[in-house]
Amino acid sequence: MESDAQELVAAVDLGGTFTKLGLIAPDGAVRAETRVPTRLTAFTDGDGGRGTVEWLGEEISAFAAAEAEAIGVRTVGFGVVVPGIVDSASGVVISAANIGWTGGVELGDPLQARLGLPGGIGHDVRTGGLAEWQLGSGRGLTNLLFVPLGTGIAAAVIVDGRLLEADGYAGELGHVQVPSAGDQQCACGQVGCLEIVAGASGVVRNYRRLAGATPGDEPVAAEEIATRARAGQPEALGAFEIAGTALSEAFVIALTLFGPEAIVVGGGLSGAADLLFPIIDQEFDHRLTFQRRPKLLTSSFGSRAGLVGAGLLGWRSVTAEAQ
């Protein structure tokens, strides 16, 4: 991508609780960054998500203007990523449960009209995978799986140098049913989904069950459970054993279908890779037969992957408009 060095794009990672905003250079460098509480408006009562879209346009405009002036650059485009089912080609969010959007919400066209800039809309995990593939841990590979482990789990799937979209439906790895999850109910309506036991909340759930916790017990975060596991606490080690085994079960399915050369693990739980990767590797020893064995890597961008990916979407839109 060719651009004046003083030109940046505004990037946004829209979340259910907080929204990250940044100014991104063509090489993915984050030149300015902030985080604000997400302002959610009722999807019902005829709003249809428009209030949140209008708020987002105001936030992008104000942030870009203030930061661009402060560091002496010009904003030339934007990219926004959203969790849920996102049709990036049309700029429509089909559904995003974490934001309360249960019907189609037009995001791309209203923001372009509000900001007067070219822009792109995408899925947070797929665009995070785009960042890792083009600029991060997966750079140079043509077959890659990017899996951020947060409260939920999804995947970006790159096959033969192409990021799979499927009209926004590709990559919902967290809702693959795995034996380790048993018959536990998932919020999606299925039972036995991967993210029930392998996401950050899943590790907490595993630990509480193994420790015999009661509703009145003090909450404990996944990071603290990881610390206890490193200290050898049996219940904490067991919680990660369940999570690692479940991930291996889902990964074997993905390996069989897509044949990635590497699996890049991101999200908050990637900080526990020292606990998870040995379990996954050991399970691969038992489970893999003909499948290509992937390298297990941690994300280069960590929690910024979605933001950097949003920036890449913005630069793609700027390039497309210039052609």
Side-chain angles (χ1 to χ4, degrees):
M1 290 174 288
E2 296 292 328
S3 174
D4 189 302
Q6 298 302 305
E7 294 181 344
L8 302 175
V9 297
V12 180
D13 187 346
L14 179 64
T17 304
F18 290 99
T19 293
K20 302 173 187 176
L21 299 98
L23 292 181
I24 312 294
D27 64 357
V30 182
R31 294 286 304 278
E33 186 177 9
T34 192
R35 187 178 79 158
V36 298
T38 302
R39 185 184 301 171
L40 300 178
T41 58
F43 191 81
T44 55
D45 302 325
D47 175 81
R50 287 188 298 274
T52 299
V53 175
E54 291 170 4
W55 165 81
L56 188 58
E58 294 168 3
E59 286 290 331
I60 298 171
S61 181
F63 169 77
E67 295 297 334
E69 182 177 353
I71 60 178
V73 298
R74 187 165 68 95
T75 305
V76 295
F78 72 90
V80 178
V81 299
V82 184
I85 306 299
V86 183
D87 185 344
S88 58
S90 65
V92 172
V93 179
I94 297 169
S95 68
N98 290 347
I99 304 170
W101 291 351
T102 55
V105 175
E106 291 190 10
L107 191 55
D109 288 345
L111 288 180
Q112 288 193 46
R114 169 67 178 82
L115 300 171
L117 297 171
I121 308 299
H123 183 263
D124 58 348
V125 171
R126 283 195 293 276
T127 50
L130 184 69
E132 292 291 344
W133 175 35
Q134 295 194 350
L135 303 171
S137 296
R139 190 169 187 173
L141 301 178
T142 54
N143 296 281
L144 174 70
L145 197 69
F146 170 62
V147 185
L149 304 177
T151 301
I153 299 174
V157 185
I158 290 98
V159 178
D160 292 340
R162 177 172 174 262
L163 177 65
L164 302 187
E165 294 267 1
D167 299 325
Y169 288 89
E172 292 297 330
L173 187 68
H175 299 289
V176 168
Q177 294 170 305
V178 294
S180 291
D183 60 358
Q184 296 182 68
Q185 185 76 36
C186 181
C188 77
Q190 298 184 135
V191 297
C193 290
L194 171 68
E195 69 179 40
I196 297 173
V197 292
S201 297
V203 168
V204 173
R205 195 177 297 112
N206 299 341
Y207 179 77
R208 289 178 60 83
R209 186 173 67 254
L210 293 173
T214 64
D217 289 346
E218 184 177 350
V220 58
E223 293 80 6
E224 173 59 26
I225 297 170
T227 299
R228 296 179 187 182
R230 294 184 186 104
Q233 187 187 84
E235 294 84 1
L237 286 168
F240 277 97
E241 182 73 31
I242 295 169
T245 302
L247 285 168
S248 74
E249 291 165 350
F251 286 169
V252 169
I253 295 171
L255 295 176
T256 306
L257 292 174
F258 305 118
E261 302 160 73
I263 298 174
V264 177
V265 175
L269 211 56
S270 64
D274 60 314
L275 298 169
L276 292 169
F277 282 8
I279 297 168
I280 297 169
D281 264 327
Q282 187 176 38
E283 290 294 324
F284 280 173
D285 288 341
H286 302 310
R287 296 176 184 277
L288 297 183
T289 54
F290 67 89
Q291 299 93 337
R292 170 162 51 189
R293 186 170 187 135
K295 293 180 286 187
L296 296 175
L297 307 171
T298 54
S299 165
S300 295
F301 295 111
S303 61
R304 279 178 161 180
L307 195 66
V308 174
L312 293 180
L313 290 184
W315 279 112
R316 278 185 173 183
S317 298
V318 171
T319 301
E321 185 176 77
Q323 291 176 344

